Amino acid sequence: MSTIKIATWNINSVRLRIEQVIRFLKEQDIDVLCLQEIKCEEPQFPYDPFREAGYEHIEVSGMKGYHGTATVSKIPLERLPTAFCPREEARHVSTRIVVGKTDFELHNFYIPAGGDIADPVENLKFKHKLDFLATMNAYFTQRFAIGDDQQVLVGDFNIAPHENDVWSHKQLLKVVSHTPLEVGILKDLQDSHDFIDVARALIDDDEKLFSWWSYRSRDINKSDRGRRLDHIWVSQALKDAALCGGRDGFKVHRDCRFWERPSDHAPIVLDLNLP
DNA sequence: ATGGTAGTCGCACTA
């Protein structure tokens, strides 16, 4: 059996925080890292520091200034097609990873944040978010239809689905990221394909769990006003691989949110135990 | 009821 450590981190500019990323990869001995909000185009991506640290396999979907996703790995990556126009917003990097006798697909997503108004008629950004989720759903219908049933979905989903994925369920019901409409559509995506939300499969629903804390709130240690926006999902075929390690197999690296000039997101890590 | 911060690009936009 081999254990693959998979991490996902909305880094909010990979060039600005490259030292933090390399430090995290080394300290946690990560095998594969999915980054969101790299905020640069492919030619500007800092390939060299990753290669020097042993991450020779790099797949980037970038754009100038905004958004952008990248998957960096010690293990070879095979790039797969995306359902989304890569030139448009660079929110999905799809790869296949082969480990011994088994292989799985790793989908790195940056789901649109959706703006401030939780109404798809009034707010086109929110409509984009809901449409993006619908496209994801159709995309995975196709992946499963061709027999690719070993799926790992990670990234910044920009949705905190459970009551205890936010600091105050009541106060955030009308705030984009926790509205019943988007939570329902995310749930629909999950249920349509029987995906497992690894964090909530391993950690009790009563426990508050966050991966993001706004830059705008001060003293995030005193008043812990966070949200769980970052997720790792697996398909049923990978259930044992993802869950057999128990809750020690999943971690939010909250301390990274308190490093100097941090991203507003903390990285999350899953140990995937493959035969 | 509003504003609070951060990053990139360039004096606006996204989160």
Side-chain angles (χ1 to χ4, degrees), chain A residues 253-273:
Chain A
H253 286 266
R254 189 188 170 99
D255 53 316
C256 299
R257 180 63 180 82
F258 299 91
W259 287 356
E260 203 175 326
R261 281 196 93 182
S263 166
D264 45 354
H265 293 252
I268 62 175
V269 179
L270 171 69
D271 297 340
L272 196 63
N273 301 292

Side-chain angles (χ1 to χ4, degrees), chain A residues 78-94:
Chain A
E78 179 197 340
R79 189 80 174 255
L80 297 172
T82 175
F84 304 92
C85 172
R87 290 264 156 235
E88 203 181 340
E89 292 210 306
R91 294 177 181 273
H92 180 212
V93 171
S94 176

Side-chain angles (χ1 to χ4, degrees), chain A residues 17 37 42 96 107 173 184 210 222-223 240 248 272:
Chain A
R17 280 182 254 282
E37 282 207 89
E42 286 90 334
R96 177 178 283 116
H107 298 275
L173 271 171
F210 308 144
K222 282 183 197 163
S223 65
D240 288 344
D248 289 346
L272 196 63

Side-chain angles (χ1 to χ4, degrees), chain A residues 80 96 103-105 107 140 142-151 235 237:
Chain A
L80 297 172
R96 177 178 283 116
D103 71 294
F104 64 94
E105 293 186 7
H107 298 275
F140 284 103
Q142 290 186 340
R143 300 308 307 166
F144 285 107
I146 62 170
D148 292 347
D149 63 346
Q150 308 234 94
Q151 300 286 347
S235 60

Side-chain angles (χ1 to χ4, degrees), chain A residues 166-176 178-179 226-227:
Chain A
V166 291
W167 61 275
S168 167
H169 172 61
K170 274 191 179 175
Q171 285 180 253
L172 285 164
L173 271 171
K174 289 182 179 173
V175 174
V176 171
H178 194 60
T179 66
R227 303 177 204 168

